[in-house]
């Protein structure tokens, strides 16, 4: 290309390459350290090289002005971050260029970039701007928005957890919103802390997968909207096409195959720490509807017409229902729901015994403690600890 020198980026790793020789620049010296095993070079670092085969449509063939605007051909844009986050913007551009110029390239050290303070700060700014309801811990974004000192201390703790790899996501608060057809749509609300980490991950993953998305894909992409999809349909119709297929996947986000999704992510991200931490994000627990069905079954087994029955028979019937329910739902994040269901079951069986034996002190009676319910009457215990299945 005439008129200016061209540069391309390539991934470097501690093995499988030969160290460069000859004149060096600060960038090549940084790469040489990695070849020699000194220091850690992230997959986002750029190394100037020459003589490499260029891929058509890659960033190297774009003008400087186009690279500044979108960093990609045909209007494909990297995610929008605050203009003040210049380091984050440069990181996104580098990741996009690497992925666009090399279809088989994988990012192999993204977890270190997630822990970078400027990335976490950019993520927090996005979360604060969007607002949103508090998660299960009851913490909103108002305090972090108003108090700079609190925001600084809060980010420092979060950064330390991520670097020590002790961070674990919390439960997601489940709420239901009413749809136009009268049905309810389940909505999960993460804590502010988890939203910041998730946003930091998105900031790094979006430019990588933007390089692979189809030109006519408009959903959940930066700088894309439904109106552009309508424009594409209009253009196709004016060009002679006559058929439009309107399809909707019912409950798609409730049935995403997470194992298959993680395999697709691994096609572009070869970072074990990112993959392991990512498995904690899907939150799986028994739905309120399934909990209500179990409670209804227990109520039927302990209604007034059963007071004449022997306790062992009633407890055995309840145990059969609870044991089957546990076997089906004992997975992932079920511990918190299981604890609530155990308390409700204990209380229901305790009241049944009070009424059967004509206790007059009601719920304040000291008889039939939880220990007695389990040890003497044989009430089954809910498992309160769950281990994630790693694929």
């Amino acid at each position: 290309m005439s008129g200016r020198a061209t540069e391309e980026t390539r991934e470097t790793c501690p093995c499988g390459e030969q160290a460069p020789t000859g004149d060096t620049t600060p960038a090549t010296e940084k790469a040489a350290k990695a070849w020699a095993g000194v220091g850690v070079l992230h997959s986002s670092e750029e190394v100037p090289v020459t003589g490499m085969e260029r891929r058509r449509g890659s960033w190297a063939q774009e003008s400087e002005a186009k690279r500044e605007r979108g960093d990609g051909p045909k209007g494909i844009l990297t995610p929008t971050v605050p203009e003040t986050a210049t380091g984050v913007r440069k990181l996104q551009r580098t990741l996009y260029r690497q992925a666009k110029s090399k279809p088989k390239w994988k990012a192999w050290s993204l977890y270190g970039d997630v822990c970078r303070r400027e990335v976490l700060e950019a993520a927090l700014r996005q979360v604060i701007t969007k607002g949103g309801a508090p998660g299960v811990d009851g913490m909103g974004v108002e305090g972090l928005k108003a108090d700079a000192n609190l925001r600084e201390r809060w980010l420092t703790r979060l950064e330390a957890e991520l670097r020590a790899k002790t961070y674990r996501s919390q439960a997601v608060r489940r709420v239901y919103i009413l749809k136009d057809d009268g049905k309810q749509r389940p909505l999960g609300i993460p804590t502010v802390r988890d939203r910041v980490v998730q946003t930091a991950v998105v900031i790094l993953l979006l430019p990588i997968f933007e390089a692979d998305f189809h030109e006519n894909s408009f959903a959940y992409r930066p700088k894309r909207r439904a109106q552009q999809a309508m424009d594409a349909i209009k253009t196709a119709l004016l060009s002679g096409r006559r058929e439009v297929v309107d399809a909707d996947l019912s409950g798609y986000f409730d049935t995403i195959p997470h194992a298959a999704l993680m395999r697709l992510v691994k096609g572009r991200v070869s970072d074990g720490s990112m993959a392991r931490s990512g498995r904690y994000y899907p939150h799986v627990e028994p739905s309120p509807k399934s909990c209500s069905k179990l409670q209804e079954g227990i109520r039927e087994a302990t209604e007034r017409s059963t007071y004449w029955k022997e306790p062992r028979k009633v407890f055995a019937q309840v145990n059969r229902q609870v044991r089957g329910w546990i076997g089906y739902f004992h997975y992932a994040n079920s511990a918190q729901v299981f604890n609530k269901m155990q308390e409700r079951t204990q209380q229901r069986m305790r009241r049944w015994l009070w009424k059967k034996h004509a206790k007059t002190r009601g719920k304040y009676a000291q008889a039939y403690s939880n220990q007695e319910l389990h040890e003497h009457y044989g009430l089954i215990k809910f498992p309160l600890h769950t281990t994630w299945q790693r694929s």
Side-chain angles (χ1 to χ4, degrees):
M1 180 181 296
S2 61
R4 65 179 180 88
T6 61
E7 289 184 347
E8 290 191 350
T9 60
R10 68 176 180 183
E11 178 185 359
T12 61
C13 60
C15 58
E17 298 280 355
Q18 297 296 324
T21 58
D23 296 336
T24 61
T25 65
T28 55
E29 287 179 359
K30 197 170 188 180
K33 290 183 179 180
W35 276 310
V38 179
V40 178
L41 186 65
H42 290 282
S43 59
S44 55
E45 298 290 354
E46 294 191 14
V47 183
V49 294
T50 58
M52 294 183 64
E53 181 182 354
R54 298 192 186 100
R55 177 187 173 201
R56 184 174 181 179
S58 68
W59 70 274
Q61 295 178 330
E62 298 299 313
S63 66
E64 193 70 29
K66 287 184 178 179
R67 284 197 289 159
E68 286 298 319
R69 288 198 301 269
D71 301 314
K74 298 183 180 180
I76 297 180
L77 301 176
T78 51
T80 301
V81 296
E83 290 299 328
T84 54
T86 55
V88 178
R89 190 48 136 178
K90 289 179 180 178
L91 174 60
Q92 287 183 313
R93 288 170 177 166
T94 300
L95 292 172
Y96 177 85
R97 293 167 184 173
Q98 289 276 33
K100 192 63 180 179
S101 61
K102 303 173 186 177
K104 296 184 179 180
W105 173 83
K106 293 184 179 182
W108 46 267
S109 61
L110 282 183
Y111 188 82
D113 291 321
V114 172
C115 302
R116 287 169 59 169
R117 185 56 171 259
E118 57 187 346
V119 173
L120 293 175
E121 289 175 348
L124 178 58
R125 280 193 291 267
Q126 291 190 28
V127 171
I128 291 177
T129 300
K130 292 181 179 179
V136 294
D137 60 355
M139 176 183 174
V141 300
E142 294 78 11
L144 295 174
K145 182 178 181 180
D147 191 337
N149 292 329
L150 174 62
R151 187 165 60 246
E152 187 74 14
R153 295 193 301 270
W154 188 85
L155 270 178
T156 299
R157 288 196 301 270
L158 179 58
E159 180 184 1
E161 287 185 30
L162 289 169
R163 293 191 180 279
K165 296 187 178 180
T166 58
Y167 165 81
R168 293 295 182 269
S169 60
Q170 296 177 274
V172 177
R173 184 163 71 90
R174 177 69 72 185
V175 297
Y176 290 86
I177 57 178
L178 191 63
K179 299 170 64 175
D180 294 338
D181 57 4
K183 297 181 180 179
Q184 289 186 325
R185 184 190 304 277
L187 180 66
I189 303 178
T191 62
V192 174
R193 173 174 167 272
D194 291 339
R195 295 207 294 265
V196 170
V197 176
Q198 292 169 7
T199 303
V201 173
V202 169
I203 286 174
L204 300 178
L205 291 184
L206 261 180
I208 296 174
F209 288 97
E210 269 292 307
D212 297 332
F213 283 144
H214 193 278
E215 181 181 354
N216 290 331
S217 174
F218 294 94
Y220 303 101
R221 295 178 63 186
K223 305 297 184 180
R224 298 260 177 158
R225 58 187 186 275
Q227 289 84 349
Q228 292 174 317
M230 297 301 297
D231 291 339
I233 294 174
K234 180 180 178 181
T235 302
L237 291 174
L238 293 175
S239 68
R241 292 176 173 83
R242 290 292 177 265
E243 295 182 354
V244 178
V245 178
D246 184 9
D248 183 25
L249 298 176
S250 177
Y252 175 71
F253 287 100
D254 300 328
T255 58
I256 292 177
H258 292 288
L261 179 62
M262 290 305 297
R263 284 195 296 270
L264 292 175
V265 172
K266 288 179 181 179
R268 274 299 198 178
V269 179
S270 183
D271 188 328
S273 297
M274 286 283 288
R276 284 191 294 271
S277 63
R279 291 193 182 102
Y280 289 98
Y281 291 136
H283 186 81
V284 184
E285 67 177 18
S287 67
K289 184 177 180 180
S290 62
C291 294
S292 298
K293 286 185 177 180
L294 176 61
Q295 289 180 271
E296 182 179 351
I298 296 175
R299 280 195 297 268
E300 291 178 357
T302 56
E303 57 186 9
R304 290 185 177 184
S305 60
T306 63
Y307 290 162
W308 62 273
K309 293 183 179 181
E310 296 181 11
R312 64 180 182 85
K313 292 184 178 180
V314 175
F315 274 77
Q317 182 179 354
V318 171
N319 283 345
R320 282 194 297 270
Q321 296 186 51
V322 173
R323 188 177 292 110
W325 194 85
I326 290 174
Y328 188 83
F329 290 106
H330 186 210
Y331 177 74
N333 307 94
S334 60
Q336 185 176 6
V337 175
F338 274 26
N339 184 52
K340 293 181 180 178
M341 293 302 295
Q342 176 164 274
E343 292 176 354
R344 293 172 182 174
T345 303
Q346 291 168 342
Q347 189 67 4
R348 182 69 187 183
M349 300 312 296
R350 183 179 296 112
R351 289 179 179 176
W352 184 84
L353 288 170
W354 287 340
K355 294 179 180 180
K356 174 180 175 61
H357 298 294
K359 294 288 184 179
T360 58
R361 296 178 63 188
K363 64 180 181 179
Y364 300 104
Q366 298 300 315
Y368 313 122
S369 64
N370 292 340
Q371 183 177 358
E372 186 177 359
L373 291 175
H374 293 294
E375 295 181 1
H376 180 72
Y377 292 98
L379 180 62
I380 189 173
K381 289 184 177 182
F382 285 72
L384 303 182
H385 300 281
T386 309
T387 302
W388 270 92
Q389 299 291 331
R390 297 189 180 275
S391 58

